Amino acid sequence: MTHQSKAVVLLSGGLDSATSAAIAAKDGYHVIALSFRYGQRHQRELDSALKIAQALDIQEHYIIDVNLAQWGGSSLTDTFIELPQTGVNAHIIPSTYVPGRNTVFIAIALSLAEAKEAQAIYLGINAVDYSGYPDCRSDYLQAYQMLANLSSKASLDGKAPQLIAPLIKDSKVDIIHRAISLKVPISDTWSCYQGDSEPCGLCDSCRIRDRALIDAGYPELATVKGQELYNL
């Protein structure tokens, strides 16, 4: 019986991470999902992560508590900081940037990957739509790979997990096309910064998602407010 390679996938519950998980499965990996309860404003994205894992038939799913909200510094974890609703400015790091989040998450993913003898870690980071985030850049990922190559017992054997970000240079429209082709349950994903029963359609994340869904030819998957926003 052929031994199937394993990949840890950071699964937030959003569109990008869900698509990344589907790509890992298509690439032939046994997928191990890793999600975080990091002190975010709401649990909707974790609820979505559970739905996505089930839809993609992911049998192993770890949800880890790492409370980054204890020291705040982001509108995603600190209710005293207003969530942005004015559109994305690629030249300004938005308030939704969570200090050190990806660095912490990848470190834990490396630990899980080594314990499970996984060969890869798939990340849904994307430098096009969120170019203001310092931890979503290619050079950041390359530097982290160097650390991964030095930091573990597996790395001494030349078996350090490879950090793979299949969407890092894709546009959001490209990601949606990939998600559709891989049968990702887009309606089950959650991108909204708010945690209400329905996406707000107004925050930056909803705007980016809705604009891309409309441009990709799937306006029926956009929020009602988003459709009104773009005069559909």
Side-chain angles (χ1 to χ4, degrees), residues 78-177:
D78 191 335
T79 56
F80 292 102
I81 302 176
E82 187 176 355
L83 289 167
Q85 294 188 357
T86 57
V88 173
N89 185 332
H91 302 291
I92 299 174
I93 297 176
S95 68
T96 51
Y97 165 68
V98 180
R101 180 176 61 178
N102 282 350
T103 302
V104 171
F105 288 1
I106 297 172
I108 295 174
L110 283 168
S111 175
L112 177 59
E114 185 171 17
K116 294 290 186 177
E117 299 183 344
Q119 290 74 34
I121 296 171
Y122 275 67
L123 313 165
I125 61 176
N126 176 255
V128 176
D129 288 328
Y130 293 100
S131 54
Y133 286 14
D135 54 1
C136 287
R137 297 173 298 167
S138 295
D139 52 356
Y140 166 85
L141 197 62
Q142 291 166 5
Y144 216 132
Q145 183 67 66
M146 293 177 62
L147 174 62
N149 293 343
L150 296 170
S151 63
S152 67
K153 178 182 176 182
S155 66
L156 296 178
D157 297 328
K159 298 178 181 179
Q162 296 301 299
L163 304 181
I164 300 173
L167 310 176
I168 195 165
K169 294 184 178 180
D170 284 7
S171 70
K172 186 65 76 174
V173 171
D174 292 334
I175 294 170
I176 288 168
H177 285 312

